[in-house]
Amino acid sequence: MTNYNNLNSLKTIAKRLARRQRIAHHKALDAIANEFEFPHWKALTAAWRKGWRPDLAKSDALAIATNSGNANTQSCPPIGLGFATKEQGSIDAHNYTIEIDFEVVMYGQGWAICVEQAPSEKPVIERYNDSRHNPILDPAFVSKALAIANTAAEKLRARIASDWPRRSTMPDRQGRVLHPLTGGLSKRWHCLHCDAVSTGAQMAANMWHCPKCSATPIDIFAEPF
Ligand SMILES: [Zn+2]
């Protein structure tokens, strides 16, 4: 579980922002820093070392993470665009909201759970306050919430895959698959980030995210570097 008063938690939020807006990770870090009125990420980390911590009353980590922050970047439609949904419900009298868009984000008072497209990425559980009454501290609540979030993620994956060419999810006899965004046909795929080489079947099974490091489909290439 990540706590909001933790620098890694801000990095997680930046990663999410980068994915959603398809911007470079360092730009997302700067956007997060801007949210807290720092000129750039480096200034934020320098302040952090001197003891600065985010003021929860003045900012909303989830709003930043889900893209409604004032980042000066143009929002891009998600892969398999146009099916964003938002629903409300409750678990043991704790209300929650679940948003399904480029990923699944479920949240309530003081907590959030994020499940990404790639099955290789573990759900991220975040806690935004230290209240003893925060339901995210209750393992039974967490397991019920995770079940709901994971079911939603499965639906999201099925929906995205249904928008892709069939050859993107089903290798041909030679094991080749078609990249759903860039269109190349190959039986070997290379990750820009970690140098992993994956088969077509592995790419299809992991929603075209790198099976090793979960890099997004735009970072997957037929040619090595
Ligand atoms: Zn990788």
PDB file of all heavy atoms in Angstrom, residues 191 193-194 196 210 212-215, ligand 1:
ATOM      1  N   CYS A 191      10.910  -4.347 -26.437  1.00  0.00           N
ATOM      2  CA  CYS A 191      10.484  -3.254 -25.561  1.00  0.00           C
ATOM      3  C   CYS A 191      11.557  -2.172 -25.545  1.00  0.00           C
ATOM      4  O   CYS A 191      12.739  -2.446 -25.347  1.00  0.00           O
ATOM      5  CB  CYS A 191      10.251  -3.785 -24.148  1.00  0.00           C
ATOM      6  SG  CYS A 191       9.925  -2.487 -22.948  1.00  0.00           S
ATOM      7  N   HIS A 193      11.947   0.032 -23.312  1.00  0.00           N
ATOM      8  CA  HIS A 193      12.412   0.358 -21.967  1.00  0.00           C
ATOM      9  C   HIS A 193      13.344  -0.665 -21.349  1.00  0.00           C
ATOM     10  O   HIS A 193      14.299  -0.303 -20.672  1.00  0.00           O
ATOM     11  CB  HIS A 193      11.214   0.549 -21.037  1.00  0.00           C
ATOM     12  CG  HIS A 193      10.467   1.798 -21.347  1.00  0.00           C
ATOM     13  ND1 HIS A 193      10.903   3.033 -20.954  1.00  0.00           N
ATOM     14  CD2 HIS A 193       9.343   1.997 -22.048  1.00  0.00           C
ATOM     15  CE1 HIS A 193      10.071   3.947 -21.389  1.00  0.00           C
ATOM     16  NE2 HIS A 193       9.104   3.346 -22.065  1.00  0.00           N
ATOM     17  N   CYS A 194      13.030  -1.957 -21.512  1.00  0.00           N
ATOM     18  CA  CYS A 194      13.796  -2.940 -20.748  1.00  0.00           C
ATOM     19  C   CYS A 194      14.506  -3.954 -21.640  1.00  0.00           C
ATOM     20  O   CYS A 194      15.107  -4.899 -21.145  1.00  0.00           O
ATOM     21  CB  CYS A 194      12.892  -3.659 -19.757  1.00  0.00           C
ATOM     22  SG  CYS A 194      11.772  -4.844 -20.508  1.00  0.00           S
ATOM     23  N   ALA A 196      13.349  -6.327 -23.242  1.00  0.00           N
ATOM     24  CA  ALA A 196      12.718  -7.649 -23.267  1.00  0.00           C
ATOM     25  C   ALA A 196      12.326  -7.984 -24.709  1.00  0.00           C
ATOM     26  O   ALA A 196      11.959  -7.099 -25.481  1.00  0.00           O
ATOM     27  CB  ALA A 196      11.474  -7.664 -22.387  1.00  0.00           C
ATOM     28  N   CYS A 210       4.485  -4.463 -22.320  1.00  0.00           N
ATOM     29  CA  CYS A 210       5.641  -5.335 -22.124  1.00  0.00           C
ATOM     30  C   CYS A 210       5.370  -6.301 -20.958  1.00  0.00           C
ATOM     31  O   CYS A 210       5.053  -5.859 -19.850  1.00  0.00           O
ATOM     32  CB  CYS A 210       6.881  -4.503 -21.824  1.00  0.00           C
ATOM     33  SG  CYS A 210       8.322  -5.504 -21.401  1.00  0.00           S
ATOM     34  N   LYS A 212       7.385  -7.842 -19.193  1.00  0.00           N
ATOM     35  CA  LYS A 212       8.394  -7.732 -18.141  1.00  0.00           C
ATOM     36  C   LYS A 212       8.265  -6.422 -17.365  1.00  0.00           C
ATOM     37  O   LYS A 212       8.277  -6.429 -16.138  1.00  0.00           O
ATOM     38  CB  LYS A 212       9.778  -7.842 -18.779  1.00  0.00           C
ATOM     39  CG  LYS A 212      10.887  -8.137 -17.793  1.00  0.00           C
ATOM     40  CD  LYS A 212      12.167  -8.466 -18.538  1.00  0.00           C
ATOM     41  CE  LYS A 212      13.386  -8.138 -17.692  1.00  0.00           C
ATOM     42  NZ  LYS A 212      14.595  -8.036 -18.530  1.00  0.00           N
ATOM     43  N   CYS A 213       8.129  -5.297 -18.074  1.00  0.00           N
ATOM     44  CA  CYS A 213       8.138  -4.007 -17.355  1.00  0.00           C
ATOM     45  C   CYS A 213       6.832  -3.223 -17.503  1.00  0.00           C
ATOM     46  O   CYS A 213       6.716  -2.119 -16.990  1.00  0.00           O
ATOM     47  CB  CYS A 213       9.318  -3.155 -17.800  1.00  0.00           C
ATOM     48  SG  CYS A 213       9.074  -2.333 -19.386  1.00  0.00           S
ATOM     49  N   SER A 214       5.856  -3.798 -18.227  1.00  0.00           N
ATOM     50  CA  SER A 214       4.543  -3.175 -18.413  1.00  0.00           C
ATOM     51  C   SER A 214       4.564  -1.861 -19.195  1.00  0.00           C
ATOM     52  O   SER A 214       3.626  -1.068 -19.104  1.00  0.00           O
ATOM     53  CB  SER A 214       3.818  -2.969 -17.068  1.00  0.00           C
ATOM     54  OG  SER A 214       3.631  -4.207 -16.428  1.00  0.00           O
ATOM     55  N   ALA A 215       5.621  -1.622 -19.979  1.00  0.00           N
ATOM     56  CA  ALA A 215       5.639  -0.446 -20.852  1.00  0.00           C
ATOM     57  C   ALA A 215       4.423  -0.508 -21.780  1.00  0.00           C
ATOM     58  O   ALA A 215       3.952  -1.593 -22.128  1.00  0.00           O
ATOM     59  CB  ALA A 215       6.920  -0.415 -21.675  1.00  0.00           C
TER      60      ALA A 215
HETATM   61 ZN    ZN B   1       9.793  -3.747 -21.062  1.00  0.00          ZN
END
